[in-house]
């Protein structure tokens, strides 16, 4: 962007962020200065190449060199991380600006060129024997702090390639990133005709929650047409991303498409499969049952697919201006303790949130951690709906988690996906509890329905996404998957998850094409269900001892990625390796559906 955004004068209006804490503009001289500093750090780091192996017989010297190498690695990553974050953050709010998109792509290439020569670091560490690494950490206490990061590095050892191939893959990464860029720019430029209105993707998706059935239907049919017009492009993107991933997976020795994601999440595939199977087995008790009840509540034999997130009452649900949403979310964070509200409040007090929906801004929401020495930023498209309040809480949960974990440093603050959604879903749950507690009785049934739908969208829908994605990648192994077949797989998985009470109207077969995770982060989606079920277990624990829970929960977040999810949950008396662990969340959701049914 050419100038920093200004915070709007109207406090009720969603803000736009100011990125000058990172860089003032694309022409900011600090950009070149930080590129230069990153090159210098990489130069210092590369002077150590080969010297880890030289010291393998001297534990104290090896520990000293390991500590120095990983410290320089982190410092370089921090410089490059800030540059990459700025380019991405600025581009994501203006996908129609060719200059912003070009700057992001160019910056990605420059970062890759600087970082690629450091591929030797993890390769050389993994040439060391386990006993040599352990001896070095024991002999040099300063190196011991890197143990969790080294554990993740060592886990990748069986799947590493030669130095030449790892370098090639690193240099190719910015080119491969052009496929997600094409995906994002196509969606940002998409116009959805809904009656007399022309909507962005975010606005059209939001209208599916409109209390008026005609407006929901018009938005859905507009989405059908807009998505159909570009599904062949999106199918090409998906097929290319999947084929490229399969090629790398084959070289690395991963047997299944999701195995690389499981490894980075520090979770075994069998556990994820068991969770997905448990959720799919619960479809009849959860989504099938609820949507049948919702159809009854709305006086319909079956729901059209655009009724799935519709309010059950004909009157418009309560709206929230930005100030009201902010107050509600901060009060919910305060339920955990003043520190949580204070940390969340910092995002509002400073211009760290971009909430204003506008043309060219990409759809969706995220919290970007940048680096441990820079504060995070929160991004969403605020429409004033109840779901926007919960989305704000969700992303601020991420933001608070990131600020708490920052003390670990960037390498150790980085959290596997198995824990990455914990704080966000927990914050969302707290906010809903407050919404329900403070709502007039006449609104509580609708709020309860909304909460159930959020749970179904997070658990059932994301597992359906995961099953769709798995089947798509399996099909891609036999050759390019035609757009018609992609639509068939989508309809089969969505139909199975939603059940007989929901009609999947013609045109819905194209709706896979706006789900960004399939392109940006293959096999990410199961983390949402994993996180929701994990949080359900934590919330049940909190009910038993709220005061004792808070310090344990704070420590879990502050630990960042320094502990695996099994170790992180042990202080709460929870064991995610026990199959019964996953039923806590599904039973909690069933209980909400019971309460909803009791309102008839």
């Amino acid at each position: 962007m050419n100038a920093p955004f200004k915070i709007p004068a109207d406090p009720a209006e969603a803000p736009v962020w100011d990125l000058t804490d990172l860089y003032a503009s694309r022409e900011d001289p600090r950009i070149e200065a930080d590129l230069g500093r990153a090159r210098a750090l990489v130069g210092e780091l590369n002077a150590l190449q080969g010297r880890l192996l030289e010291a393998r017989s001297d534990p104290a010297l090896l520990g000293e060199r390991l500590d120095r190498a990983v410290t320089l690695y982190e410092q370089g990553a921090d410089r490059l991380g800030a540059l990459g974050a700025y380019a991405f953050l600025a581009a994501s709010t203006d996908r129609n600006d060719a200059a912003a998109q070009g700057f992001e792509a160019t910056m990605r290439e420059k970062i890759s060129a600087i970082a690629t020569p450091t591929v030797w670091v993890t390769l050389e560490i993994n040439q060391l024997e386990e006993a040599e690494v352990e001896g070095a950490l024991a002999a040099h206490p300063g190196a011991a702090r890197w143990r969790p990061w080294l554990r993740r590095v060592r886990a990748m050892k069986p799947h590493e390639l030669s130095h030449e191939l790892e370098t090639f893959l690193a240099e190719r990464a910015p080119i491969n990133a052009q496929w997600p860029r094409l995906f994002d720019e196509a969606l940002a430029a998409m116009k959805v005709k809904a009656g007399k209105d022309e909507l962005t993707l975010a606005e059209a998706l939001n209208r599916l929650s409109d209390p008026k059935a005609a407006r929901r239907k018009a938005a859905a049919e507009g989405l059908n047409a807009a998505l159909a017009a570009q599904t062949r492009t999106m199918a090409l993107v998906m097929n290319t991303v999947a084929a490229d991933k399969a090629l790398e997976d084959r070289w690395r020795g991963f047997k299944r498409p999701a195995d690389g994601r499981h490894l980075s999440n520090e979770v075994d595939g069998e556990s994820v499969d068991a969770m997905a199977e448990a959720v799919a087995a619960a479809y009849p008790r959860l989504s099938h049952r609820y949507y049948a009840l919702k159809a009854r509540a709305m006086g319909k034999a079956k729901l059209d697919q655009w009724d799935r997130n519709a309010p059950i009452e004909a009157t418009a649900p309560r709206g929230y201006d930005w100030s009201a949403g902010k107050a509600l979310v901060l009060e919910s964070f305060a339920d955990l303790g003043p520190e949580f509200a204070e940390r969340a409040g910092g995002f509002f007090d400073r211009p760290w949130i971009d909430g204003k929906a506008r043309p060219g801004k990409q759809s969706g929401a995220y919290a970007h951690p940048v680096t441990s020495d820079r504060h995070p930023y929160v991004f969403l498209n605020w429409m004033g709906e109840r779901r926007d309040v919960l989305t704000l809480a969700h992303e601020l949960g991420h933001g608070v988690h990131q600020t708490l974990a920052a003390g670990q440093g960037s390498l150790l603050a980085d959290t596997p996906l198995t824990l990455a959604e914990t704080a966000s879903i927990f914050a969302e749950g707290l906010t809903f509890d407050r919404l329900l507690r403070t709502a007039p009785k006449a609104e509580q049934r609708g709020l309860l329905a909304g909460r159930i739908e959020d749970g179904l969208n997070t658990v059932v829908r994301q597992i359906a996404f995961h099953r769709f994605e798995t089947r798509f990648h399996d099909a891609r192994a036999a050759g390019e998957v035609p757009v018609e077949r992609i639509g068939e797989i989508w309809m089969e998985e969505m139909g199975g998850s939603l059940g007989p009470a929901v009609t999947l109207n013609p045109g819905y077969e194209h709706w896979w094409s706006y789900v960004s995770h399939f392109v940006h982060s293959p096999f990410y989606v199961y983390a949402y269900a994993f996180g929701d079920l994990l949080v359900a277990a934590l919330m049940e624990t909190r009910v038993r001892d709220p005061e004792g829970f808070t310090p344990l929960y704070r420590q879990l977040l502050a630990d960042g990625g320094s502990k695996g999810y099994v170790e992180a949950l042990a202080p709460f008396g929870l064991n995610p390796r026990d199959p019964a662990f996953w039923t806590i969340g599904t039973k909690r959701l069933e209980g909400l559906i019971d309460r909803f049914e009791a309102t008839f």
Side-chain angles (χ1 to χ4, degrees):
M1 57 189 182
N2 296 317
F5 291 116
K6 303 299 182 185
I7 298 304
D10 181 359
E13 184 181 5
V16 293
W17 55 31
D18 182 344
L19 300 179
T20 53
D21 280 358
L22 289 171
Y23 303 99
S25 71
R26 295 193 291 268
E27 293 76 35
D28 191 328
R30 291 181 295 169
I31 292 175
E32 285 303 320
D34 279 351
L35 286 168
R37 179 58 182 148
R39 291 188 190 97
L41 287 165
V42 167
E44 288 184 61
L45 174 59
N46 287 347
L48 292 171
Q49 186 170 359
R51 304 195 68 193
L52 302 181
L53 293 177
E54 286 177 4
R56 66 194 311 168
S57 61
D58 184 339
L61 182 59
L62 176 57
E64 180 185 339
R65 289 181 179 176
L66 268 174
D67 187 20
R68 178 64 177 157
V70 182
T71 298
L72 287 168
Y73 189 91
E74 181 177 64
Q75 290 173 350
D78 280 347
R79 293 285 175 168
L80 296 176
L83 290 159
Y86 173 73
F88 168 74
L89 292 168
S92 67
T93 55
D94 201 355
R95 290 293 177 195
N96 291 340
D97 180 3
Q101 308 315 304
F103 177 79
E104 182 187 18
T106 300
M107 191 55 59
R108 194 182 291 119
E109 292 174 3
K110 289 182 177 181
I111 289 168
S112 177
I114 295 169
T116 295
T118 69
V119 298
W120 69 269
V121 176
T122 55
L123 293 173
E124 189 163 327
I125 287 171
N126 280 340
Q127 290 180 60
L128 298 167
E129 298 298 329
E130 197 66 33
E132 292 169 341
V133 174
E134 288 300 319
L137 300 188
H140 187 79
R145 71 178 297 262
W146 302 115
R147 185 184 299 277
W149 183 78
L150 291 169
R151 181 187 70 236
R152 296 199 291 271
V153 168
R154 303 285 286 175
M156 189 63 185
K157 182 176 180 177
H159 305 285
E160 284 182 336
L161 305 175
S162 68
H163 185 277
E164 291 77 11
L165 281 174
E166 292 290 358
T167 299
F168 168 74
L169 290 173
E171 289 181 346
R172 193 184 62 166
I175 300 169
N176 284 1
Q178 298 297 76
W179 291 106
R181 174 187 173 184
L182 172 61
F183 181 92
D184 289 342
E185 290 185 17
L187 290 182
M190 192 171 74
K191 301 298 182 185
V192 179
K193 291 186 177 180
K196 297 180 180 179
D197 298 330
E198 187 175 78
L199 308 175
T200 64
L201 173 62
E203 290 168 338
L205 291 171
N206 184 69
R207 192 165 287 188
L208 298 177
S209 300
D210 196 282
K212 294 183 179 179
R215 283 167 61 84
R216 294 195 303 272
K217 181 179 179 182
E221 291 179 341
L223 278 166
N224 291 344
L227 293 172
Q230 54 188 16
T231 46
R232 297 201 177 277
T233 298
M234 297 313 202
L236 174 61
V237 171
M238 283 262 290
N239 271 283
T240 305
V241 168
D244 184 74
K245 183 182 185 307
L247 178 63
E248 183 173 337
D249 284 350
R250 186 165 67 251
W251 277 84
R252 293 196 181 280
F254 290 122
K255 291 185 171 62
R256 301 192 306 171
D259 283 352
R261 179 68 69 186
H262 298 332
L263 183 65
S264 66
N265 286 343
E266 299 186 87
V267 63
D268 61 89
E270 288 75 14
S271 295
V272 175
D273 292 344
M275 177 192 68
E277 288 166 11
V279 172
Y283 285 171
R285 304 192 306 275
L286 299 176
S287 48
H288 296 188
R289 177 185 170 208
Y290 171 73
Y291 290 124
L293 289 170
K294 182 171 184 176
R296 178 180 161 194
M298 296 179 71
K300 303 184 73 168
K302 292 182 70 173
L303 299 174
D304 291 298
Q305 70 89 1
W306 53 76
D307 296 325
R308 191 171 54 81
N309 291 322
I312 59 172
E313 309 295 344
T315 55
R318 181 189 301 189
Y320 298 85
D321 65 22
W322 182 256
S323 298
K326 168 186 171 181
L328 201 154
V329 168
L330 290 181
E331 287 167 0
S332 302
F333 274 79
D335 289 341
L336 269 176
E339 182 189 4
F340 287 88
E342 182 180 343
R343 285 180 179 272
F347 285 79
F348 295 99
D349 298 338
R350 307 168 183 92
W352 296 354
I353 303 176
D354 196 297
K356 185 176 182 179
R358 53 198 185 274
K361 184 178 179 181
Q362 71 184 46
S363 63
Y366 61 76
H368 199 301
V370 191
T371 60
S372 65
D373 59 347
R374 309 280 190 122
H375 61 78
Y377 291 86
V378 163
F379 171 106
L380 71 157
N381 287 274
W382 180 265
M383 305 287 182
E385 304 279 352
R386 176 193 60 83
R387 281 191 177 86
D388 296 322
V389 177
L390 296 176
T391 297
L392 177 61
H394 182 105
E395 301 306 339
L396 281 172
H398 279 306
V400 168
H401 190 176
Q402 290 154 6
T403 64
L404 281 166
Q408 297 284 348
S410 295
L411 294 184
L412 300 182
D414 188 30
T415 308
L417 292 185
T418 43
L419 290 171
E421 294 297 331
T422 303
S424 55
I425 295 173
F426 201 97
E428 198 175 330
L430 287 175
T431 302
F432 170 76
D433 288 346
R434 176 166 286 274
L435 273 169
L436 188 61
R437 201 165 54 240
T438 59
K441 190 172 182 180
E443 295 182 13
Q444 289 184 0
R445 185 190 194 200
L447 281 170
L448 188 58
R451 181 55 179 153
I452 293 167
E453 289 164 19
D454 289 341
L456 295 177
N457 287 335
T458 305
V459 177
V460 169
R461 187 168 172 80
Q462 298 303 325
I463 289 301
F465 282 3
H466 175 67
R467 288 161 65 94
F468 160 79
E469 191 171 21
T470 300
R471 288 181 62 189
F472 167 75
H473 280 261
D474 287 346
R476 184 63 181 89
E480 185 162 309
V481 187
V483 65
E484 294 80 10
R485 180 57 185 152
I486 300 175
E488 288 171 1
I489 298 171
W490 172 261
M491 294 292 276
E492 288 164 9
E493 289 301 331
M494 295 304 107
S497 68
L498 295 172
V502 179
T503 299
L504 298 185
N505 308 87
Y508 190 64
E509 66 271 17
H510 306 302
W511 285 44
W512 56 268
S513 62
Y514 80 85
V515 183
S516 62
H517 286 104
F518 297 154
V519 173
H520 281 271
S521 307
F523 298 99
Y524 184 106
V525 291
Y526 75 74
Y528 289 110
F530 195 106
D532 192 275
L533 297 173
L534 187 154
V535 165
L538 286 174
M539 294 192 104
E540 290 296 314
T541 303
R542 179 174 179 261
V543 168
R544 294 194 293 269
D545 181 12
E547 291 187 9
F549 176 87
T550 294
L552 293 177
Y553 180 70
R554 186 199 185 282
Q555 189 60 51
L556 181 150
L557 301 186
D559 284 339
S562 65
K563 295 178 180 177
Y565 71 102
V566 174
E567 184 184 3
L569 292 176
F572 300 91
L574 297 170
N575 179 14
R577 287 179 172 154
D578 181 351
F581 173 84
W582 301 111
T583 66
I584 299 172
T586 56
K587 287 179 179 176
R588 184 181 175 91
L589 191 49
E590 279 188 74
L592 291 175
I593 297 171
D594 289 342
R595 288 174 62 184
F596 179 74
E597 187 171 22
T599 65
F600 284 84

